[in-house]
Amino acid sequence: MHYKTYTNYQHGDAAKIGVLITNLGTPDAPTKEALKPYLKEFLSDPRVVEPPPARWLWKLILNGIILNTRPAKSAEAYKTVWDSEGPGAPLLNISKRQIDAIASYVKPKINTEIEFELGMRYGNPSIGSALQKLQAKGCQKILVLPLYPQYAGATTASTFDAVNEELKDWRWVPEMRTISQYARHPGYIDALANSIKEYQAEHGKPDLLVMSYHGIPQRYWDNGDSYPCQCHLTSRLLAEKLGLSKEQYKVTFQSRFGKEPWVQPYTDATMMALPKNGVKNIQVICPGFSADCLETIEEIGEENREYFEEAGGEKFGYIKCLNDRDDHAKALADLALQNLQGWDEIIDEQDLAKVKENAASLETEMILKHGD
């Protein structure tokens, strides 16, 4: 086994703290050529698609059918949301702004030097490359903050898999802390409530507020994944903050893939059914997405809007994700600070000088003993 060398480390260096902010990721471009490797990496993750006992069968379906048909279709969808600024996918551009905003609140409250990096679970910049950057900057303690408010094996656990996959090749593994979810964090709930109040101050209140979350297969939930429970927890707390009754909001799940049953109710089926039940003025928010992306802008803002209107709906409002809102950045910074407690050490300069002096003496001794 060949372990990666910690090339920038000097004995006696003051240890820095690193914060790795992660999200799902995006393709490098809205093209068929860029989507194919991105989708292959995504759909090859056993956390995302738990393959049947005959794993070869899923590989055959993925490589023989899906990767020959889906990339072109996905590329067309990405073209509709691709930012002219940047340029790039909205998720990547928003994530960069989020990191800057979080860092601006955290750094003044930390005594130790602290560095921030962005890593995407799929695509670029990768989680591995982000960890390597933190290591190169001298970070010996690293906090991992996936921007998934609700824990799911397919998102949060998969992120930790990627972190561990990178670290298993390191000679010196840093102290690590991970945040698995923040579904009930007060600042997060407040930010969601504020975004809804601001939208409704301009557009009025709807007949129904739909809270749409990314779905997971029903069997994942049956096998112990807590994700749907945490989605309902967030929704209940948000409804209480807004003073909504159970009849004034509805939780749904979107983005299902494949033929097996997923957690219900489905967002698209709900959009088609609401107008027939007399609900013709709705607003939709996606609390599980920390930043707008293809699944919110295109799938909710366009595709599901069409389902609703074609079924007889009259007014459809999409409330943007929290993105780089100031209250959202403050909530995430507060979450990071809570989990950095005990790492925030005031450096003793005299002790550090002694450590460097001893390190230099030891290095000289080793040179004399073994040669340079």
Side-chain angles (χ1 to χ4, degrees):
M1 180 69 185
H2 177 70
Y3 293 100
K4 294 177 182 176
T5 303
Y6 196 168
T7 54
N8 290 346
Y9 175 72
Q10 298 295 321
H11 294 283
D13 281 353
K16 295 181 182 179
I17 295 173
V19 178
L20 173 63
I21 305 291
T22 77
N23 213 316
L24 188 75
T26 68
D28 292 333
T31 64
K32 176 182 176 181
E33 293 73 21
L35 260 297
K36 189 167 185 177
Y38 173 76
L39 288 175
K40 184 172 185 177
E41 183 183 13
F42 177 50
L43 296 175
S44 295
D45 186 345
R47 292 277 194 181
V48 173
V49 180
E50 295 185 14
R55 291 177 179 268
W56 62 268
L57 180 59
W58 170 243
K59 289 183 179 179
L60 183 64
I61 294 171
L62 176 62
N63 292 293
I65 301 175
I66 296 174
L67 293 179
N68 287 319
T69 58
R70 194 172 180 89
K73 182 179 179 181
S74 294
E76 290 304 312
Y78 269 102
K79 286 177 183 177
T80 66
V81 304
W82 211 254
D83 284 349
S84 57
E85 300 177 13
L91 178 62
L92 179 59
N93 293 336
I94 293 168
S95 297
K96 290 176 180 177
R97 298 197 298 270
Q98 286 175 325
I99 282 194
D100 290 341
I102 295 168
S104 71
Y105 284 113
V106 172
K107 286 185 176 182
K109 297 182 179 180
I110 293 290
N111 294 311
T112 306
E113 283 193 72
I114 187 166
E115 301 286 349
F116 288 77
E117 288 293 341
L118 172 67
M120 295 297 191
R121 179 60 184 89
Y122 314 104
N124 298 304
S126 69
I127 286 175
S129 68
L131 285 168
Q132 290 167 26
K133 288 178 181 178
L134 291 174
Q135 183 199 57
K137 293 176 180 178
C139 297
Q140 297 175 25
K141 300 174 181 179
I142 297 176
L143 173 67
V144 183
L145 171 52
L147 295 188
Y148 307 122
Q150 296 77 27
Y151 171 90
T155 52
T156 316
S158 178
T159 296
F160 298 156
D161 288 345
V163 169
N164 291 329
E165 183 66 21
E166 170 62 30
L167 294 181
K168 75 178 186 180
D169 293 335
W170 287 24
R171 182 171 297 279
W172 185 359
V173 176
E175 291 185 58
M176 300 294 298
R177 290 181 182 175
T178 57
I179 298 174
S180 64
Q181 56 83 25
Y182 52 97
R184 66 185 311 148
H185 189 280
Y188 161 64
I189 299 298
D190 285 344
L192 287 171
N194 291 340
S195 71
I196 293 170
K197 290 175 182 177
E198 290 169 14
Y199 185 89
Q200 293 181 350
E202 181 177 353
H203 301 278
K205 292 187 177 182
D207 299 330
L208 184 73
L209 176 66
V210 178
M211 303 180 191
S212 180
Y213 296 82
H214 199 291
I216 62 171
Q218 178 67 39
R219 64 187 169 98
Y220 292 14
W221 191 14
D222 294 340
N223 290 336
D225 199 308
S226 64
Y227 175 72
C229 301
Q230 294 197 358
C231 293
H232 281 280
L233 169 63
T234 294
S235 294
R236 176 179 63 79
L237 294 174
L238 178 55
E240 289 175 357
K241 179 67 68 171
L242 294 170
L244 300 179
S245 67
K246 291 183 179 180
E247 293 72 31
Q248 292 176 306
Y249 75 98
K250 186 175 184 65
V251 177
T252 64
F253 297 90
Q254 64 184 82
S255 309
R256 71 184 186 274
F257 175 78
K259 296 182 179 180
E260 70 173 304
W262 281 42
V263 174
Q264 298 188 40
Y266 301 140
T267 298
D268 54 4
T270 300
M271 293 299 111
M272 298 173 193
L274 285 176
K276 299 174 185 177
N277 295 324
V279 180
K280 298 192 176 184
N281 177 3
I282 67 170
Q283 290 169 5
V284 184
I285 188 170
C286 299
F289 294 85
S290 61
D292 275 305
C293 55
L294 185 69
E295 285 80 4
T296 62
I297 300 171
E298 194 272 340
E299 184 179 349
I300 296 299
E302 298 177 18
E303 185 179 330
N304 278 275
R305 177 193 296 271
E306 290 180 7
Y307 293 150
F308 180 71
E309 293 176 345
E310 288 174 359
E314 297 173 358
K315 194 172 181 181
F316 180 103
Y318 169 62
I319 302 171
K320 290 183 179 180
C321 292
L322 295 178
N323 296 327
D324 56 339
R325 286 175 57 98
D326 189 61
D327 50 7
H328 187 213
K330 286 181 179 177
L332 294 173
D334 180 57
L335 180 65
L337 287 166
Q338 289 174 15
N339 286 271
L340 288 170
Q341 291 184 36
W343 278 3
D344 184 18
E345 302 171 348
I346 298 176
I347 298 174
D348 186 326
E349 295 295 341
Q350 289 185 340
D351 182 67
L352 187 60
K354 289 180 181 178
V355 172
K356 290 190 174 186
E357 181 182 345
N358 289 341
S361 177
L362 180 60
E363 184 176 1
T364 300
E365 182 181 332
M366 294 298 289
I367 292 173
L368 291 174
K369 185 175 181 180
H370 300 285
D372 53 11

